Amino acid sequence: MTLALRTAPAALLATALLAGCAGEPTRLAMGSSREQALRELGAPSAVYSLSGGGERLQYSRAPAGFEVNNVDLDASGHVVSVRQELDERLFDRTIQPRVGRWREADVLRTYGRPLEITQVSSFDGHIWTWRYKWQNTPRLLYIYFDPAGVVQRYHTGDDLMLELLAPL
């Protein structure tokens, strides 16, 4: 067997690993152009306009995944921020209940489409749910919207789905 044939599997593995790293939003260099970001990350799951003429490229792994990465571009189309939003340490600073300012559009722009939208008899409105991981433990984020679409509160809880699916 020639050296080229013996090293081909290793070269393919290295290429696959590098491609996987290139598609990770948190590895995107600050100052990259919009075109560079799209080339490295592919098409976003959503695009939102930001104040000041900027733009958000959202890369969501929902509904089955645990991450939503937002790549923010300034008005000139260069990366100024990359943040994984589904992080329990950020919820208190990001989610703005009871002030009447945070609406469905704000939540979508931050977290993307939810895993599910439900209702319960004890609350007049809808509850949106996202999956995330906290210290490698599957968790759920619940955001409560009143009938006018304004965030009223949020809470987190354990995601027991994987435990329910596991064999006994």
Side-chain angles (χ1 to χ4, degrees):
M1 183 182 283
T2 68
L3 179 61
L5 289 175
R6 282 184 284 164
T7 59
L12 287 173
L13 177 61
T15 302
L17 289 173
L18 287 173
C21 293
E24 174 59 38
T26 58
R27 295 180 191 257
L28 189 63
M30 293 298 113
S32 297
S33 69
R34 184 181 198 281
E35 293 73 27
Q36 288 171 311
L38 293 173
R39 190 170 38 254
E40 287 187 36
L41 304 176
S45 52
V47 177
Y48 299 97
S49 295
L50 298 175
S51 62
E55 184 177 48
R56 172 166 289 165
L57 307 177
Q58 191 171 77
Y59 292 88
S60 174
R61 295 195 170 115
F66 298 96
E67 293 182 8
V68 173
N69 289 282
N70 288 326
V71 176
D72 290 351
L73 309 172
D74 61 17
S76 67
H78 290 89
V79 175
V80 293
S81 170
V82 178
R83 186 161 100 165
Q84 201 294 96
E85 296 289 351
L86 290 174
D87 183 333
E88 200 164 292
R89 297 169 294 190
L90 300 175
F91 295 157
D92 281 342
R93 290 181 272 163
T94 304
I95 302 170
Q96 300 177 20
R98 296 190 190 97
V99 293
R101 292 185 301 192
W102 237 42
R103 301 182 159 280
E104 291 177 358
D106 301 304
V107 173
L108 284 171
R109 188 172 35 257
T110 304
Y111 300 116
R113 297 180 56 112
L115 168 68
E116 66 180 0
I117 299 174
T118 58
Q119 289 183 284
V120 294
S121 61
S122 61
F123 179 74
D124 183 22
H126 291 93
I127 305 164
W128 292 12
T129 307
W130 290 262
R131 299 177 77 211
Y132 71 98
K133 282 191 178 181
W134 175 244
Q135 298 179 348
N136 215 27
T137 301
R139 305 271 295 155
L140 295 169
L141 167 63
Y142 303 94
I143 298 181
Y144 292 70
F145 295 91
D146 67 17
V150 176
V151 173
Q152 294 301 304
R153 68 179 184 263
Y154 80 94
H155 71 88
T156 60
D158 293 327
D159 182 354
L160 302 176
M161 183 59 69
L162 296 177
E163 290 181 23
L164 294 173
L165 296 175
L168 296 176

